[in-house]
Amino acid sequence: MPQNLLFNQTARVRAIDCGQQLPRQRNDHRLTVLAALLAGLTVAASAASAASDVVISQVYGGGGNSGAVYKNDFIELFNRGANAVSMNGWSVQYASATGTSWQVTTLPNLTLQAGQYLLVQEAAGSAGSANLPTPDKLGTIAMSGTTGKVALVNSITAITSASSPAVLDLIGFGPTATAFEGSAPAALSSNTNALLRANDGCTDENQNATDFSALVAAPRNSASPLHACGTASNTAIVTNCPASLMLAANVGGSINLSASDLDGQVKAITLANGSLAAFSLAGLVPATTVGAIASVNLNVANTLGLGSYPVVINFANDQGQTATCTVSVVVQAASGITHTIPQIQGSAATSPYVGSTQTTEGVVTLRMANGFYMQDPQGDGDPTTSDGIFVFTSTAPAVAVGDKLRVSAKVQEFVAGDAKRTITQLTAPSAIITLSSGNSLTPTNISLPLASADEWERYEGMLVRFVRPLVVSQNYFLGRYGQLSLSGTRLEKPTNRYPARSPEAQAAAAANLANLIVLDDASSAQNPNPAPYLGADNTIRAGDTVSDLVGVVDFGLITSGNPGPTGYKLQPLGVPVFSRDNTRSDAPEILSGNLKVASFNVLNFFSTFTNGATVDGETGQGCKLGTSIAASNCRGADNLNEFNRQRAKIVAAMKAIDADVFGLMEVQNNGNIALSHLVNGLNAEIGSAAYAYVPVTASTGSDAIRVAMIYKTEKLKLVGAALTDADAINNRPPLAQTFALANGKRFSVIVNHMKSKGSCPSDGSLNQDQADGQGCWNALRVQQAERLANSFIPQVQAAANDNDVLVIGDLNSYGAEDPILSLQNAGLVSEIERFIRPHSAPYSYVFDGESGYIDHALTSKSLSEKVIGVAEWHINADEPLLIDYNTEFKVQDLYTATPFRSSDHDPVVIALNLQPQFVDVSAQITSLSSGLSFNRSTQSFNGTLTITNIGGVILKGPFQVELNGLTAGVTLLNASGNHNGSAYLSSAINSLAPGQSISLPLVFRNPNKVGITYQTSVFSGNF
């Protein structure tokens, strides 16, 4: 059936030029087995009594200070009670020792088990050598290393006083703290010592001075071993047993049982006295540590007769405690099969048996937390029908992979995010009867691409094996949802190669749809920790490959929210292992000329944050957008910590590129403020004032972001002031600057950032998405391109008195889209097509699993011949969002201050060889003039001038020989022209080898018959 596999990636972690806020919930009805088990172990408790048992167990404010081991400040919490407590709606808050203003870090929505720790990472300093253990929450509060106040609060609203009834726990530390529990504050902390609550967090006498001690920082997180306090001793054994096991007559079967004890070890699991001989326990795995899970298999013999049998299982721990659970084993005659799985699936878009109750049979291929997949082991041999189906049980099913089941359930078409595309499943089963166990199925072999995207329907719910390697085409949602987009080959955006609306573009789009599947992680959990599929350097790059991938084909949501983007997914069996086929590089690989220019979209580099604070410590500030100035208009970093992380990545990339000119996009439109912070950071990293910015112009547009330029001052000089085109067609005006090299050669750079493809209008105009692959606002981008080519470029060339122009920037148009074709038709040359396309498909951006370049390098024809190379440095488009500078949604912080994922666009680097039109080579030349003879008929004096290469290298022609200081009244009649007031002769010879000579005729008019004198200067090139 028809479907759209290429999902809409406009859901972004933060608002950017073409995106929206990433949804925070994921409502796919398929849950992980682990999540369900954890939920089953959660013990309900009274909030009033349990809340008081969660305490602040450790506080450390020396992170990143001189002499510190850890890079970050942190706050540690601990549940010292006997019952689990929900952290939903809680926060930790910090104030200085004498301050009354409290900063807030909201706690994650999780349940803190009895004896469990929770680690909140706060701001980083510039020193320290070790990362914290994986934090459970990331905050940005910069705490004092010696004295302050920390409160645990049962709301996320900043308190106004430490005596607020919302405060659950409080520590004041250092002698100047104005609020604390008990008679005195806790001791001073330091850059090495944290304040730790006694007895691993168990002691709480409401006396900060004695409850806490200054000891070496030792952070613990939720994955640390549980610690049972004395007040929580003798907690009950918690059992995990399925309510029932249904078996067919004469079959037998087994099911797994487990139990744990928070403060003890479950050592024995036995059947109750009087149990039938048909029941037995096998494979006991006792707990070996406090709180560990003990498990055993309950086996049922095939001799058990029809009927229902309650089986009581006893559990005992090492503290003399016991617990029991009862499993109802039901043996019954299996109902007859009404239809096979392939018959229920049918060959149409929906099942022919929707709404009816059917009995069918299959082997379990994948167990989920609220259902399972099963497949007809024989199939029907019809390639148009699927042999597999999902059975929705709503809770963890009592089945195992390999069980052959007879299932009676209702046929349903489930809406998995897209009402136009449903998935056939069985729901509300009235009977799930095990017929046999230990069965295996041979996966169906398939490979990508399929003949068409419609073919996915025939594999829905089936166990498949991809017989050819698959390549990662996108990793954007890896950290958020544990997903990767895979394809048979790297997918190129159709309009990156073919003009929109062309038959070739349409065919390529259809081929891409048939060449994509989303690898999921068999989980609906958001922000999985750890993120799956990561390899070397804590990354997985687009272009990496995986072989022999086996799993079950699913269809459903591929982000969060229902309705939402959907697609076919593969739920893997086992852990796929990827090969790093697309390796990183330390710097762009490009030929060396005498000039290097780079285009770099720096993804919302703002010095004003979304909370109204600034890098310089101001508060209550805002960002410009149209006529509005508000903090809500700000983008990029949310706080100083994120700003420092963002800048460090961008600076690392720019330092490695080492361009003489950088054209930048998405810099905050606040004059030179944000730009100067970037330049200062880059110069500090280099160790000298190497770069300066091109001063801001009067017209920077009404958007919150602008384009900018920086350059190396020792390499280049500004020629005139920067120019901009403030025409209303440009929402972000292009910026032009002419530069001069030390050799005198001039060139101009124009930085552009055309209208994005997002934030679509609904006015019925051509700026709406025309479904031709070019997105929204294409008509406006064409107008911007025409204005650039027909008006602004000529203006820049005239002002520079030089035709060499380089057009760079994010044009928000792929390589063969209308705006780019318009610029090429106006005479500009695509250097990316010229240098990169012959070797591989060029790209600087990945969207919806397709790669293409929207970051361009276009030249005037006069400059094109001086370009010697172009490189796209793939440090961003191929890297997962998971490793960028942002801290939200990241329980696993894999940030490094490296170039990788410094932005979402790859920088483009252009190498040029700009030489002057002529070079003085007189020092390598000797000149010899012959005697002159007088021609009476022409009244001229005639002779020759011979020049000889006395140097050691070949001189490149043509040559211009200038006669300087020619005697007054004497004229060189055969002069080729006049240069700087002197006549000159030209020779078209291509080269002059060492020792080689050329002779040029001399014809003078000398009416006064005076002596003729002059000095020669010889130039290589043309005047």
Side-chain angles (χ1 to χ4, degrees):
M1 64 186 67
Q3 65 278 319
N4 178 15
L5 287 178
L6 292 180
F7 51 88
N8 182 352
Q9 190 182 295
T10 56
R12 307 297 295 277
V13 163
R14 60 180 68 246
I16 64 169
D17 184 39
C18 57
Q20 304 169 5
Q21 187 70 21
L22 187 66
R24 291 181 178 266
Q25 295 183 347
R26 188 176 180 203
N27 300 316
D28 196 336
H29 69 270
R30 298 172 192 188
L31 306 173
T32 63
V33 175
L34 178 60
L37 291 177
L38 290 176
L41 292 173
T42 301
V43 181
S46 161
S49 61
S52 62
D53 288 326
V54 178
V55 295
I56 300 165
S57 54
Q58 191 171 177
V59 171
Y60 177 63
N65 292 350
S66 176
V69 173
Y70 292 106
K71 299 177 182 178
N72 290 78
D73 300 341
F74 67 85
I75 300 168
E76 179 191 280
L77 303 180
F78 175 63
N79 184 355
R80 60 187 293 275
N83 299 307
V85 180
S86 171
M87 301 288 99
N88 187 30
W90 289 19
S91 64
V92 288
Q93 303 191 20
Y94 170 82
S96 64
T98 59
T100 57
S101 177
W102 293 80
Q103 301 177 65
V104 179
T105 297
T106 302
L107 294 178
N109 182 9
L110 58 75
T111 298
L112 196 64
Q113 301 295 324
Q116 189 175 30
Y117 297 93
L118 186 149
L119 183 62
V120 181
Q121 175 177 293
E122 296 292 0
S126 57
S129 59
N131 293 320
L132 296 175
T134 302
D136 301 296
K137 175 65 180 180
L138 297 175
T140 59
I141 299 173
M143 299 161 55
S144 168
T146 55
T147 182
K149 301 186 290 284
V150 174
L152 173 64
V153 181
N154 66 2
S155 84
I156 59 174
T157 301
I159 58 176
T160 57
S161 169
S163 61
S164 167
V167 173
L168 301 175
D169 194 26
L170 173 71
I171 174 176
F173 54 102
T176 59
T178 55
F180 44 84
E181 286 186 356
S183 58
L188 284 166
S189 59
S190 69
N191 293 347
T192 55
N193 286 349
L195 291 163
L196 280 77
R197 185 178 289 274
N199 195 16
D200 291 319
C202 294
T203 299
D204 187 16
E205 300 296 334
N206 295 318
Q207 291 284 344
N208 285 171
T210 56
D211 286 347
F212 287 89
S213 299
L215 301 170
V216 174
R220 294 159 290 196
N221 61 9
S222 60
S224 298
L226 299 178
H227 177 70
C229 297
T231 56
S233 62
N234 295 319
T235 56
I237 296 172
V238 178
T239 64
N240 182 32
C241 305
S244 64
L245 172 63
M246 301 180 71
L247 300 171
N250 305 315
V251 171
S254 69
I255 194 168
N256 186 261
L257 315 172
S258 64
S260 63
D261 181 17
L262 176 65
D263 64 340
Q265 301 176 40
V266 176
K267 294 293 188 180
I269 307 177
T270 58
L271 292 172
N273 292 333
S275 297
L276 297 178
F279 302 115
S280 62
L281 297 178
L284 171 64
V285 180
T288 56
T289 59
V290 172
I293 295 174
S295 65
V296 73
N297 290 323
L298 169 62
N299 295 330
V300 182
N302 60 8
T303 56
L304 196 63
L306 298 179
S308 178
Y309 304 88
V311 182
V312 178
I313 300 96
N314 297 323
F315 300 84
N317 67 8
D318 58 354
Q319 299 170 320
Q321 293 175 293
T322 61
T324 63
C325 72
T326 302
V327 177
S328 177
V329 177
V330 179
V331 180
Q332 64 186 52
S335 300
I337 296 174
T338 58
H339 289 95
T340 66
I341 293 174
Q343 289 171 333
I344 293 172
Q345 283 280 12
S347 58
T350 58
S351 170
Y353 302 102
V354 173
S356 68
T357 297
Q358 299 290 327
T359 299
T360 192
E361 188 175 289
V363 174
V364 176
T365 56
L366 182 66
R367 183 175 181 267
M368 307 291 281
N370 55 0
F372 58 90
Y373 290 91
M374 68 177 188
Q375 184 170 328
D376 189 310
Q378 284 79 39
D380 63 353
D382 183 351
T384 65
T385 61
S386 170
D387 298 336
I389 199 165
F390 181 72
V391 182
F392 178 61
T393 59
S394 77
T395 58
V399 302
V401 172
D403 286 352
K404 187 175 184 180
L405 307 177
R406 184 75 57 85
V407 177
S408 298
K410 185 177 181 180
V411 179
Q412 179 190 48
E413 289 295 328
F414 177 70
V415 178
D418 181 1
K420 297 178 182 179
R421 168 66 180 88
T422 59
I423 183 170
T424 303
Q425 67 178 22
L426 297 176
T427 188
S430 57
I432 300 176
I433 301 174
T434 302
L435 303 178
S436 63
S437 300
N439 300 281
S440 62
L441 286 178
T442 300
T444 299
N445 290 335
I446 65 172
S447 62
L448 293 182
L450 302 178
S452 75
D454 292 340
E455 283 196 8
W456 279 117
E457 168 70 16
R458 67 183 60 178
Y459 301 114
E460 181 181 285
M462 289 181 60
L463 181 67
V464 300
R465 171 184 284 111
F466 289 89
V467 297
R468 296 176 183 169
L470 297 177
V471 63
V472 177
S473 54
Q474 178 170 274
N475 49 28
Y476 185 84
F477 293 109
L478 175 66
R480 195 76 169 94
Y481 305 123
Q483 297 173 341
L484 294 172
S485 298
L486 306 178
S487 51
T489 56
R490 194 78 184 258
L491 303 182
E492 183 178 9
K493 174 73 174 176
T495 52
N496 199 55
R497 182 182 293 263
Y498 305 112
R501 302 172 297 277
S502 68
E504 294 86 354
Q506 294 170 356
N512 284 354
L513 284 171
N515 195 14
L516 182 70
I517 191 166
V518 174
L519 176 65
D520 211 340
D521 60 350
S523 166
S524 63
Q526 299 182 53
N527 312 311
N529 183 18
Y533 313 131
L534 295 175
D537 301 315
N538 283 324
T539 190
I540 182 167
R541 286 170 57 85
D544 289 348
T545 60
V546 61
S547 298
D548 200 34
L549 188 60
V550 177
V552 175
V553 176
D554 184 16
F555 180 87
L557 292 165
I558 49 182
T559 56
S560 64
N562 193 349
T566 58
Y568 278 100
K569 303 186 287 187
L570 187 80
Q571 304 294 353
L573 269 63
V575 180
V577 178
F578 286 82
S579 172
R580 178 58 50 79
D581 288 11
N582 183 16
T583 57
R584 289 174 168 180
S585 63
D586 294 331
E589 298 175 1
I590 193 168
L591 294 173
S592 296
N594 68 343
L595 182 74
K596 190 158 52 175
V597 180
S599 172
F600 196 6
N601 183 319
V602 292
L603 185 56
N604 294 321
F605 184 79
F606 277 56
S607 60
T608 308
F609 311 137
T610 54
N611 61 2
T614 72
V615 174
D616 300 314
E618 300 167 293
T619 59
Q621 304 301 302
C623 297
K624 166 187 173 182
L625 182 63
T627 59
S628 165
I629 297 179
S632 59
N633 296 332
C634 299
R635 311 173 188 176
D638 289 329
N639 48 62
L640 184 59
N641 179 41
E642 285 196 344
F643 172 85
N644 289 332
R645 288 159 59 112
Q646 179 187 26
R647 184 172 67 169
K649 276 191 167 291
I650 295 171
V651 164
M654 296 176 73
K655 181 182 178 183
I657 293 169
D658 191 32
D660 301 305
V661 178
F662 280 100
L664 306 174
M665 293 113 260
E666 297 198 20
V667 176
Q668 182 180 353
N669 192 0
N670 62 345
N672 292 319
I673 298 174
L675 183 60
S676 66
H677 280 289
L678 180 58
V679 172
N680 293 343
L682 178 57
N683 285 339
E685 182 65 23
I686 293 171
S688 68
Y691 286 94
Y693 53 78
V694 172
V696 67
T697 62
S699 300
T700 57
S702 58
D703 203 346
I705 52 178
R706 73 175 182 97
V707 297
M709 252 187 285
I710 71 172
Y711 66 101
K712 285 185 176 178
T713 55
E714 289 189 0
K715 186 77 171 282
L716 299 168
K717 302 300 179 186
L718 303 184
V719 178
L723 299 176
T724 190
D725 184 6
D727 188 89
I729 203 68
N730 296 312
N731 58 313
R732 293 182 286 255
L735 175 68
Q737 178 64 59
T738 301
F739 298 94
L741 283 81
N743 64 17
K745 184 64 184 82
R746 293 184 176 189
F747 68 101
S748 300
V749 178
I750 304 178
V751 186
N752 303 264
H753 191 188
M754 291 185 178
K755 179 66 176 176
S756 72
K757 295 176 180 286
S759 302
C760 299
S762 57
D763 55 4
S765 70
L766 291 176
N767 281 316
Q768 289 187 212
D769 193 334
Q770 301 300 303
D772 60 1
Q774 299 186 97
C776 297
W777 301 106
N778 184 63
L780 178 59
R781 287 192 295 276
V782 170
Q783 291 176 294
Q784 292 175 336
E786 291 172 344
R787 172 78 185 182
L788 175 65
N790 300 328
S791 177
F792 193 48
I793 290 177
Q795 178 188 349
V796 172
Q797 290 172 322
N801 193 27
D802 188 280
N803 288 331
D804 287 353
V805 173
L806 173 61
V807 174
I808 59 175
D810 175 4
L811 304 189
N812 271 307
S813 306
Y814 290 101
E817 292 187 352
D818 296 341
I820 308 306
L821 297 181
S822 174
L823 291 171
Q824 290 176 324
N825 290 336
L828 293 182
V829 179
S830 172
E831 302 299 337
I832 289 177
E833 291 292 323
R834 182 176 164 220
F835 283 94
I836 297 179
R837 174 72 72 184
H839 308 288
S840 61
Y843 67 96
S844 65
Y845 196 69
V846 175
F847 189 85
D848 281 0
E850 296 175 322
S851 303
Y853 70 100
I854 55 179
D855 301 271
H856 291 261
L858 300 154
T859 61
S860 59
K861 289 183 178 179
S862 64
L863 184 61
S864 181
E865 63 186 24
K866 299 157 190 170
V867 177
I868 62 172
V870 175
E872 294 167 322
W873 191 22
H874 299 306
I875 56 174
N876 296 321
D878 288 340
E879 298 283 348
L881 186 70
L882 175 66
I883 66 172
D884 77 356
Y885 72 88
N886 293 294
T887 57
E888 66 264 41
F889 305 117
K890 291 181 180 173
V891 293
Q892 182 184 19
D893 189 4
L894 301 178
Y895 169 85
T896 57
T898 61
F900 304 102
R901 200 64 192 189
S902 50
S903 175
D904 53 350
H905 292 242
D906 289 330
V908 179
V909 187
I910 307 99
L912 303 101
N913 190 11
L914 297 183
Q915 300 297 335
Q917 291 178 305
F918 54 89
V919 178
D920 191 341
V921 295
S922 301
Q924 287 83 45
I925 294 289
T926 60
S927 302
L928 180 62
S929 175
S930 68
L932 298 176
S933 61
F934 180 67
N935 187 322
R936 294 184 180 276
S937 63
T938 61
Q939 293 294 299
S940 62
F941 289 85
N942 303 310
T944 58
L945 177 64
T946 300
I947 63 172
T948 303
N949 181 357
I950 61 172
V953 297
I954 297 174
L955 299 177
K956 184 179 179 182
F959 297 95
Q960 317 301 325
V961 181
E962 192 174 83
L963 277 61
N964 302 308
L966 186 61
T967 304
V970 178
T971 304
L972 181 63
L973 296 177
N974 65 330
S976 301
N978 189 279
H979 179 249
N980 291 333
S982 298
Y984 67 89
L985 297 169
S986 296
S987 171
I989 188 172
N990 291 327
S991 63
L992 192 65
Q996 185 179 359
S997 301
I998 0 174
S999 294
L1000 301 171
L1002 295 171
V1003 181
F1004 293 106
R1005 187 170 72 87
N1006 184 7
N1008 298 324
K1009 305 298 189 294
V1010 297
I1012 299 176
T1013 59
Y1014 55 85
Q1015 294 82 40
T1016 58
S1017 296
V1018 182
F1019 297 88
S1020 169
N1022 289 306
F1023 289 147

